[in-house]
Every structure is written in structure tokens, then in C-alpha cells.
Amino acid sequence: MADKPRLQPGPDHPITVRPSTERVVVTVAGKVVADSRNALTLQEANYPPAYYVPLTDVDRSLLERTSTTTYCPYKGEAGYYSIPVGGEKSVDAIWEYAEPFDAVAPIVNHVAFYPNRVDSIETTPL
């Protein structure tokens, strides 16, 4: 990763990570993939907020690691999981930063879900 740019969040590209004030439940094909009262909300620049759910609140038996990786100069290298019960729609539906950069360190051991690759991401106030 030494040849990849590494940027710090700032006024032109802010990133905040806060404990979520909501319970987050993710479902695919009638199965609960995640159910958490301990999610984090990551807000990056003007992107929609993303819920990062602790891996301990995810049914990992439903996940399959893929070889897909992406790189974010603010967060680091992301790895992906598919949810086979969801079929083609749920390929690479989940991402995680196993070694996130310091600015987003709290998201370690958490995963996030693409809303269009799962059936639902429901939130209710805690």
C-alpha cells in the first residue's frame, strides 16, 4: 500500500465516526444477517451515512469472503463478503476495513452493507 495515496480527513473531506443511536437489522432472503444495538455511523463528506456493524453482531455463517478489494485513501483497503442466500444480488454486499487508517480506527472489526445488495437495512431508535 506504500504506493497508494493516504489522505487525512479535513474541512474539504470530513469523516466522523459515532456510536449509532439506532438498532440496525439487516436481512437477506428472509434471514437476519445482522442485528446490532452497537453499530457505528460513519459520515463521510456528502455521502449518505453508512452503518458499521460489529462482526460479533453478524451471522458469519451466512457470509462468504470474496477476493474483491478496493482502496480508499481516507480509510484504507477494504475486503468484501458475499451473502450466497441472496444470489447474484448479494455478491460483494458487505465490506470491511480490517486495518483501517487511524482517522477511522473505531470501524475495525465492523462491517458495512450496500443497501442495494441486501433486502433491507431497518433501523429503530434505541
Side-chain angles (χ1 to χ4, degrees):
M1 261 193 293
D3 58 335
K4 295 180 181 175
R6 190 169 180 162
L7 303 175
Q8 290 294 319
D12 60 329
H13 194 97
I15 299 177
T16 58
V17 180
R18 294 189 176 101
S20 178
T21 59
E22 299 173 300
R23 176 183 179 193
V24 178
V25 179
V26 181
T27 60
V28 173
K31 300 201 181 280
V32 174
V33 179
D35 185 347
S36 182
R37 290 175 170 81
N38 299 300
L40 300 172
T41 303
L42 184 144
Q43 178 66 58
E44 180 175 359
N46 56 0
Y47 299 114
Y51 293 104
Y52 279 78
V53 175
L55 278 166
T56 54
D57 294 340
V58 176
D59 183 348
R60 290 189 254 180
S61 72
L62 297 172
L63 309 186
E64 182 176 281
R65 173 69 82 175
T66 73
S67 60
T68 302
T69 61
T70 58
Y71 180 78
C72 171
Y74 295 96
K75 296 187 291 288
E77 184 148 347
Y80 288 78
Y81 296 91
S82 291
I83 309 166
V85 297
E88 279 300 308
K89 170 186 173 178
S90 296
V91 171
D92 291 333
I94 302 169
W95 73 92
E96 77 170 323
Y97 291 92
E99 296 179 18
F101 293 158
D102 291 344
V104 294
I107 66 171
V108 71
N109 298 319
H110 287 66
V111 295
F113 298 80
Y114 283 109
N116 62 336
R117 296 184 188 180
V118 298
D119 293 340
S120 70
I121 300 175
E122 295 180 11
T123 59
T124 53
L126 290 174

